[in-house]
Amino acid sequence: MALAISSLLIKPFFLPTKHISYSNNGKSNTPAASIFKPHNSLKTSATTGDLANHYKRSWQQELKQAFGFHHDGDDDDDDESFQEMVDKRCADNVRMLIVDAVQNAKAGHPGMALGMAEVGYVLYRHFMKYNPFNPKWFNRDRFVLSAGHGCLLQYVCLHLAGFQSVQLEDLKRLCKLGSRTPGHPENVVTEGIEVTTGPLGQGVANAVGLALAEAHLAARFNKPDAVIVDHRTYCIMGDGCAMEGISHEAASLAAHWKLHKLTLIYDDNQNTIDGPTSLAFSEDISARFKALGWSTITVENIHESMCSFKEALRGAIDETEKPTLIRVKTLIGKLSGKEGTAKAHHGTFDDNEVKMMREKVKWGDREPFHVIPMVYREMRNQKDDGERLEREWYSKLYSYKSKYPQEAVELNLLLSGGLLPGWESSLPKWSASDPLDATRGYSEKCLNQLAKVLPGLIGGSADLASSNKVHLHDHSDFSQPNSPCGRNIRYGVREHAMAGISNGIALHGSGLIPFAATFLIFSDYMKNSIRLSALSHAGVIYIMTHDSIGLGEDGPTHQPVEQLAGLRAVPRLLVFRPADGNETAGKKLPANLEGTLAEKVARGGYIVSDNSGNDLPEIILIGTGTELCLCEGAAKTLRQEGRRVRVVSLVCWRLFDRQPKDYKEKVLPLSVTKRVSVEAGSPMGWKEYVGIEGKVIAVEDFGASGAYLDTFKKYGFTEENVTRIAKSLLHQ
């Protein structure tokens, strides 16, 4: 069994011991009692009543320049029409910032960002709840940009919304080395970015994971008189996302799970890099999603009427059983000379084109990166609402703590990272006298013990739970409306979506620790999502059983060879291949070996046995997984013949490589050049550990169908062959 853990970044979120309140600079320097004072934000939305005259006057000059509008001081002007003009002018400003950033960087993808300016603005100004002074507030709405190449849209919206992570200077440093505005959004670089996206379709699966996390936690912790978990997930996808298979897999599950707080906004601009979508794409996306079980809404002309998009969003919020797809018909590269064509996807604009765009929106001779002052003021209203909502949430939380102390303790643990102090002590230990089991059997015992002390442990398998042995026996399946509090997730035969959804669950930031299981051979289906797990510090646990040619009768289509090498090559990914129950527990195998220790697994490699005493060994046998017992068997034979033999378990290469030089020298002394590695997978990478004179026993071709032991014998994985090769080295 192989196990991969993407690098983990947990930012503890402790429930404060007293109320917090925010001043305009985001610091908690106001008396706690002020948290309950009435909120006095300026009413600027048609949904909050009549617009004040002074507010209209503040916009008069700008709207007159842009649209010829004149406010005569009469408060009877149509509020909704006025708000529409304000929104349109704000969207103009969003577009001009996008143009300025691309021109300044001489790089970027302006097409989608220009076409979806209204969508981004409306979400951040009118619908999403967030607090830019506390981007990690737990009950905020989540936003995912699956079409990650359009990241400029999100960067501009984050800036206008008041997030400190994106200042004007950051927009000026688009795509520059070390900037907070990279070419695709990265959650570990820019606060306000929930997940790292870029490979198309991944964000759709991430959004499903985020929505699942909300539904699961709401079921576990909400009470009729205390709703603590209540937020929505919004995701933008493009035509490319719609084409990628992962989006279909994830959308199918979202509908099956009835994730009604998930809203997917489809940028239907009918263009991809190579040209119009008609080159390779002719299906009706709305019909496809409707067939999957989604509610679908189409917005025909958002560029002329943002009200239609607002109505669509309200419709999504009112939906209580299905996720919602909002299909928005847009013009890629809106305003530019490339408008509506694939040429607008990426690249800069010539000077005449920029001049033309400025003229279209009556921008005049304003300097690049100009922001209309009223736009900041407009966005501040949503920020103020977010601050108020967070204060109200903390007030509810303290009331909840007194009414439901047991649930509050568990919620606090989750929001603090999900790891109970001393959780490692719950892991079982085995001795050589214990009954034999496959490593997946040991893994099952470890998972079920951990589930008792880690309330955030949640996950499942891609239709292989009985084979992978990852079922949590004391818990039900996640299902809505029957058992949304269940911690077993049934993914069906959807490996790719499983991994992408797991990333979303992990990055929800609520202490949930997702695991995803399948056969190692099928990790290839999930590879891109696994890579993003590591890139985004998601902390997903991947459990991959049936990890070698020992799979036997299923033959070479199911026998992994090169997969381990490929996973080990992923930066930050910790790949473990345990040999027995103790090493399985140590990831914090047909034998329980003397000398294996869970605590030593943290070193990545260690000495399992050695009869050399104070002398150096004559030969070192290095193994992983099931093959470690072959090393021990060969070592026993050689020792009976008077040889000094060391056996080393190299359970996780990356962890071993990180150890101090003196520790690595202690385990693998440079002066001992006679070494043999034994692993039923690709030989790639092993020469680094056995050296020039060492021998690598590995698989250099596809496997073969046959009984387990017969297949191992065919490829040289027997005690006799390991002993023979070791002797040949010793006799040199």
Side-chain angles (χ1 to χ4, degrees):
M1 182 188 79
L3 182 141
I5 304 177
S6 57
S7 56
L8 183 60
L9 179 67
I10 296 179
K11 293 185 177 179
F13 183 100
F14 298 97
L15 298 186
T17 57
K18 60 181 182 179
H19 292 300
I20 63 171
S21 59
Y22 296 93
S23 65
N24 285 341
N25 62 5
K27 296 180 181 178
S28 179
N29 58 2
T30 309
S34 68
I35 208 167
F36 301 106
K37 290 182 179 178
H39 183 64
N40 294 315
S41 64
L42 180 65
K43 293 182 178 180
T44 60
S45 170
T47 62
T48 59
D50 291 338
L51 295 171
N53 258 325
H54 69 274
Y55 169 67
K56 291 185 177 182
R57 284 195 297 270
S58 71
W59 272 104
Q60 180 169 321
Q61 183 177 350
E62 187 65 38
L63 298 184
K64 181 178 180 180
Q65 176 182 329
F67 310 119
F69 172 80
H70 176 69
H71 174 56
D72 59 8
D74 186 353
D75 199 32
D76 292 333
D77 291 325
D78 183 86
D79 290 348
E80 186 172 331
S81 298
F82 188 88
Q83 185 66 55
E84 181 81 0
M85 279 190 289
V86 169
D87 290 343
K88 184 172 176 58
R89 196 55 174 164
C90 290
D92 288 342
N93 206 154
V94 169
R95 283 198 173 91
M96 294 318 300
L97 286 171
I98 291 166
V99 171
D100 292 339
V102 168
Q103 293 302 99
N104 187 69
K106 296 180 173 57
H109 296 78
M112 175 265 184
L114 290 172
M116 291 285 280
E118 289 89 354
V119 168
Y121 166 76
V122 168
L123 284 172
Y124 276 89
R125 166 59 187 93
H126 292 291
F127 281 86
M128 290 202 306
K129 62 179 182 183
Y130 56 85
N131 181 1
F133 291 144
N134 184 14
K136 296 298 184 184
W137 170 40
F138 168 72
N139 208 39
R140 69 192 182 278
D141 287 339
R142 270 60 168 185
F143 173 77
V144 177
L145 187 64
S146 185
H149 55 277
C151 58
L152 243 181
L153 174 63
Q154 190 170 10
Y155 295 151
V156 169
C157 289
L158 288 173
H159 169 67
L160 296 177
F163 284 78
Q164 299 302 301
S165 55
V166 184
Q167 302 297 307
L168 280 177
E169 285 303 313
D170 296 301
L171 294 179
K172 294 175 183 178
R173 299 196 67 234
L174 176 70
C175 298
K176 298 290 189 266
L177 188 64
S179 78
R180 294 190 290 187
T181 48
H184 286 82
E186 298 179 41
N187 66 302
V188 295
V189 172
T190 315
E191 283 206 317
I193 302 295
E194 301 287 354
V195 299
T196 296
T197 59
L200 297 177
Q202 292 289 337
V204 177
N206 299 161
V208 173
L210 290 167
L212 183 149
E214 192 276 344
H216 172 72
L217 294 170
R220 285 174 64 174
F221 295 106
N222 285 351
K223 305 294 182 182
D225 62 341
V227 177
I228 298 299
V229 184
D230 181 20
H231 51 267
R232 305 189 65 82
T233 301
Y234 296 92
C235 176
I236 290 177
M237 78 167 185
D239 288 302
C241 299
M243 294 182 197
E244 290 286 359
I246 186 174
S247 67
H248 183 83
E249 292 180 20
S252 175
L253 284 166
H256 181 73
W257 291 331
K258 304 186 188 307
L259 299 177
H260 63 89
K261 289 186 180 178
L262 171 62
T263 301
L264 183 59
I265 303 163
Y266 170 34
D267 174 24
D268 183 10
N269 65 43
Q270 300 184 5
N271 279 278
T272 57
I273 295 175
D274 279 353
T277 53
S278 58
L279 292 173
F281 197 52
S282 54
E283 65 197 62
D284 185 333
I285 293 297
S286 295
R288 187 222 287 184
F289 273 76
K290 186 174 182 180
L292 290 175
W294 286 60
S295 172
T296 62
I297 304 171
T298 298
V299 176
E300 294 287 348
N301 192 359
I302 192 172
H303 301 313
E304 297 302 322
S305 172
M306 280 186 263
C307 288
S308 58
F309 179 57
K310 293 177 186 176
E311 285 301 315
L313 288 171
R314 293 187 189 106
I317 292 170
D318 290 341
E319 173 60 58
T320 59
E321 293 186 358
K322 302 176 181 180
T324 299
L325 172 77
I326 300 178
R327 180 180 184 177
V328 184
K329 297 185 178 181
T330 67
L331 288 170
I332 187 172
K334 175 67 175 172
L335 290 184
S336 73
K338 305 167 187 174
E339 181 181 292
T341 71
K343 293 179 181 179
H345 177 267
H346 63 276
T348 59
F349 307 100
D350 61 43
D351 292 342
N352 288 333
E353 208 168 1
V354 173
K355 181 180 179 181
M356 178 193 69
M357 286 189 277
R358 282 176 158 261
E359 290 174 351
K360 282 184 177 181
V361 296
K362 310 248 184 339
W363 209 242
D365 58 357
R366 288 166 167 160
E367 291 294 317
F369 297 98
H370 175 77
V371 178
I372 302 166
M374 287 80 74
V375 173
Y376 283 131
R377 186 187 306 168
E378 191 73 18
M379 296 299 291
R380 178 176 175 176
N381 289 287
Q382 199 72 1
K383 177 199 69 173
D384 290 346
D385 283 344
E387 288 186 55
R388 173 180 56 81
L389 289 169
E390 183 177 5
R391 291 195 298 267
E392 292 173 355
W393 182 78
Y394 273 111
S395 180
K396 288 181 183 178
L397 195 59
Y398 279 93
S399 174
Y400 183 90
K401 186 176 180 180
S402 63
K403 290 182 178 179
Y404 307 102
Q406 184 175 345
E407 290 90 339
V409 168
E410 186 170 291
L411 179 61
N412 188 38
L413 174 62
L414 285 173
L415 298 186
S416 300
L419 297 178
L420 187 72
W423 62 270
E424 302 98 325
S425 62
S426 69
L427 289 166
K429 296 180 180 179
W430 287 271
S431 68
S433 61
D434 286 327
L436 305 183
D437 200 353
T439 46
R440 55 197 168 107
Y442 297 125
S443 171
E444 179 183 34
K445 294 179 176 69
C446 288
L447 277 176
N448 277 276
Q449 285 299 112
L450 288 173
K452 296 176 182 178
V453 296
L454 299 180
L457 192 64
I458 181 172
S461 172
D463 198 48
L464 291 169
S466 58
S467 295
N468 300 142
K469 294 187 179 296
V470 293
H471 188 73
L472 302 181
H473 299 305
D474 295 335
H475 297 277
S476 58
D477 292 346
F478 173 84
S479 172
Q480 291 202 104
N482 301 324
S483 56
C485 57
R487 289 163 62 181
N488 290 295
I489 303 177
R490 303 286 185 174
Y491 287 104
V493 189
R494 301 181 184 91
E495 291 88 358
H496 201 179
M498 173 177 67
I501 290 169
S502 296
N503 283 338
I505 295 172
L507 294 172
H508 186 255
S510 53
L512 295 179
I513 303 170
F515 60 87
T518 187
F519 289 178
L520 179 57
I521 190 70
F522 301 133
S523 65
D524 286 344
Y525 282 136
M526 317 158 44
K527 185 66 175 295
N528 199 266
S529 295
I530 294 174
R531 186 176 186 273
L532 285 172
S533 298
L535 179 59
S536 58
H537 296 195
V540 176
I541 301 171
Y542 293 97
I543 300 171
M544 301 167 188
T545 65
H546 301 72
D547 67 347
S548 76
I549 58 170
L551 186 58
E553 287 86 354
D554 279 345
T557 61
H558 281 54
Q559 294 170 356
V561 175
E562 73 279 13
Q563 281 69 28
L564 271 173
L567 290 171
R568 284 170 175 156
V570 177
R572 301 179 187 162
L573 192 69
L574 301 180
V575 180
F576 299 82
R577 190 164 184 257
D580 63 2
N582 290 324
E583 288 200 344
T584 301
K587 294 179 302 191
K588 5 170 193 198
L589 280 158
N592 288 312
L593 302 171
E594 293 284 357
T596 57
L597 292 170
E599 54 267 29
K600 289 188 177 181
V601 172
R603 293 280 201 170
Y606 62 96
I607 300 168
V608 175
S609 65
D610 192 343
N611 68 330
S612 305
N614 294 326
D615 298 323
L616 287 173
E618 296 174 82
I619 191 169
I620 302 175
L621 307 181
I622 311 170
T624 72
T626 303
E627 295 82 75
L628 188 62
C629 68
L630 301 181
C631 295
E632 275 294 306
K636 182 178 180 181
T637 300
L638 293 170
R639 288 166 185 161
Q640 289 172 348
E641 297 177 4
R643 295 292 189 174
R644 300 190 307 277
V645 184
R646 173 176 294 180
V647 174
V648 169
S649 171
L650 207 60
V651 61
C652 178
W653 292 12
R654 179 158 280 118
L655 283 180
F656 183 73
D657 292 345
R658 291 176 181 173
Q659 299 308 308
K661 185 177 180 180
D662 59 346
Y663 178 80
K664 289 187 284 187
E665 172 63 21
K666 179 182 177 181
V667 176
L668 297 176
L670 291 174
S671 58
V672 182
T673 58
K674 299 181 188 303
R675 305 178 185 182
V676 179
S677 69
V678 188
E679 183 176 74
S682 169
M684 189 173 295
W686 273 110
K687 273 296 182 180
E688 181 176 346
Y689 301 101
V690 302
I692 298 175
E693 298 180 30
K695 297 291 184 181
V696 176
I697 302 176
V699 182
E700 301 196 51
D701 198 352
F702 295 110
S705 180
Y708 154 55
L709 291 177
D710 292 341
T711 307
F712 254 40
K713 184 176 181 180
K714 170 181 170 65
Y715 289 93
F717 293 95
T718 63
E719 285 185 18
E720 293 76 15
N721 189 51
V722 175
T723 303
R724 180 185 64 79
I725 291 175
K727 284 182 177 180
S728 70
L729 268 181
L730 288 167
H731 291 149
Q732 287 181 3

